[in-house]
Amino acid sequence: MSVYSMTGYASAQHTPARECAEGDARNTASSRLGIEIRAVNSRFLDLSFRLPEELRGCEPALRDKLNARLKRGKVELRAAIDSAGASVVCEPSTRLLQRLNAIQDNVKAWLPAAQPLSVAEVIRLAVDESAPSKDWQAPALALADTVLDALLSAREREGARLAAMLFDRIALLRTLAAKAEPLIPQLVAQQRQRFLDRWSQAMALTEGQATSDMAQDRALTEATAFAIRIDVAEELTRLASHLDELERLVKKGGEIGKRLDFLIQELHREANTLGSKSAALELTHISVDMKVLIEQMREQVQNIE
C-alpha cells in the first residue's frame, strides 16, 4: 500500500455543447463546468465546499465521495459554471428583437434617461434565452470522480517523495547510533584509568600508607558508578527499535501518519536522553545531529495521511 501525503491539488473541466437557436445546429455555445480540489494537512478530515446555486443539491453526494476516499486533511472543493465562453456568436431571433425593442420603448417612455441596449447586451440576452435548462448534477458528480482520482494520484506521488526522505533519514540515524555505541566503553575505560592515575598520585602523597589493591578497588567502584551514569545502551536499543517500526510502517503504507508522529516523539525523547547523559563532546555532537534529523522527519510526517 502506498504512502499518501495530505497535500495535493487537482482540477478538471467539463464543456457540453448545446444548441443556440432552434433548428440551427451550427449556432452553438458552451457552458463550462469546472471543479478543483485543494488539500493541506490537518489532524482530521475537514471538508468544505464552494458551490454555485445549480450544484447545491450535490453537496451531500460530493461529501460522501470525499469521505469514502480521503481519511485526513483540510480539503476544499470548489465548483463553478462559466456560461460566458461561447465559441460561436448566437444570432438573436426576429421575435426576440421585436420583444426587446418593445420593452425598451416602454422603459424609455417612463425613464427617458435610460440608456439603449447595446449589441453585446442583446447577444447576451439571446444566449440566455436560447440556453435550455440543464441538470448539472450528474456531470458534476462524474467530474468530481475524475478530479478526486487526480488528487489521489498527486497525493501518492508526494507521499512517495516523503517516504524516500524518511528512509534516507532513518539510514542516517542508524549511522549516528552506530557511531555512538562504541564510545561508551571507551569513555568508561578512560575514566577508569583517570581514577587509577589520581589514586596513584594520592598514594604518593600519603607515602604508601594506602595499598595498591585499595586503589584498584576504589578506581573500579568509581568507574562502575560512572559507567552506570553515562550508559546509553537502553536509549540506543529503543532508538533502533523505533527506527525499525518507522521503516516497517512506511513500507506498509496506508493510514500511518498518526503512528509515525508518535514514533517521532519517541525518537526525540531518546535523542534528548542521549545528549543529557553525554560525557564526551563527540557524543553531544551525535545527539545534536540526531535531533536535527528527527526534526526534519517531524516536519514531513505532519503531511502524511
Side-chain angles (χ1 to χ4, degrees), residues 21-60:
E22 185 176 356
D24 186 1
R26 295 173 300 174
N27 292 333
T28 60
S30 297
S31 294
R32 183 176 59 187
L33 168 65
I35 292 180
E36 65 177 24
I37 303 178
R38 302 173 184 268
V40 295
N41 60 329
S42 176
R43 292 183 61 190
F44 308 102
L45 182 59
D46 181 10
L47 303 179
S48 62
F49 299 86
R50 295 191 177 184
L51 305 174
E53 289 300 326
E54 295 90 336
L55 299 179
R56 289 297 181 186
C58 290
E59 183 172 336

Side-chain angles (χ1 to χ4, degrees), residues 71-274:
K71 304 304 178 184
R72 292 176 64 201
K74 183 176 177 61
V75 182
E76 181 184 58
L77 185 149
R78 295 187 180 189
I81 298 175
D82 180 13
S83 58
S87 57
V88 178
V89 176
C90 294
E91 183 177 351
S93 64
T94 303
R95 180 180 178 183
L96 175 64
L97 291 174
Q98 290 173 344
R99 188 164 74 250
L100 290 176
N101 188 54
I103 293 172
Q104 180 174 249
D105 290 342
N106 189 31
V107 170
K108 290 184 71 64
W110 288 93
L111 301 172
Q115 295 295 324
L117 287 171
S118 66
V119 174
E121 290 170 337
V122 171
I123 292 174
R124 185 172 67 250
L125 291 171
V127 171
D128 293 339
E129 182 193 53
S130 63
S133 59
K134 181 175 179 60
D135 183 6
W136 287 100
Q137 295 197 14
L141 294 177
L143 188 61
D145 284 330
T146 300
V147 178
L148 193 52
D149 288 338
L151 177 70
L152 290 174
S153 297
R155 291 176 69 158
E156 185 177 8
R157 290 192 298 271
E158 178 66 12
R161 187 189 68 79
L162 295 177
M165 187 281 297
L166 289 177
F167 285 135
D168 178 67
R169 299 305 186 273
I170 289 172
L172 292 174
L173 285 171
R174 291 190 193 279
T175 301
L176 290 174
K179 290 181 180 179
E181 190 171 1
L183 292 177
I184 303 305
Q186 296 175 13
L187 291 172
V188 173
Q190 292 172 5
Q191 191 67 12
R192 179 176 177 274
Q193 186 59 47
R194 190 176 297 116
F195 286 143
L196 285 173
D197 293 341
R198 290 179 179 177
W199 197 260
S200 297
Q201 294 173 5
M203 284 178 59
L205 294 176
T206 59
E207 297 179 354
Q209 293 180 10
T211 64
S212 59
D213 290 340
M214 290 175 58
Q216 187 172 6
D217 290 344
R218 179 66 182 211
L220 289 174
T221 301
E222 296 290 345
T224 300
F226 177 77
I228 294 173
R229 190 166 63 252
I230 69 168
D231 183 29
V232 292
E234 291 186 8
E235 285 75 14
L236 291 176
T237 299
R238 287 195 294 267
L239 190 141
S241 176
H242 297 329
L243 291 176
D244 289 341
E245 182 65 9
L246 268 170
E247 192 169 13
R248 186 191 71 82
L249 286 174
V250 175
K251 288 180 179 179
K252 175 185 174 184
E255 301 170 44
I256 60 174
K258 292 183 178 179
R259 282 176 286 179
L260 291 180
D261 188 55
F262 172 77
L263 287 172
I264 292 297
Q265 295 179 31
E266 295 300 307
L267 282 176
H268 198 272
R269 182 178 292 111
E270 303 305 335
N272 267 335
T273 305
L274 191 69

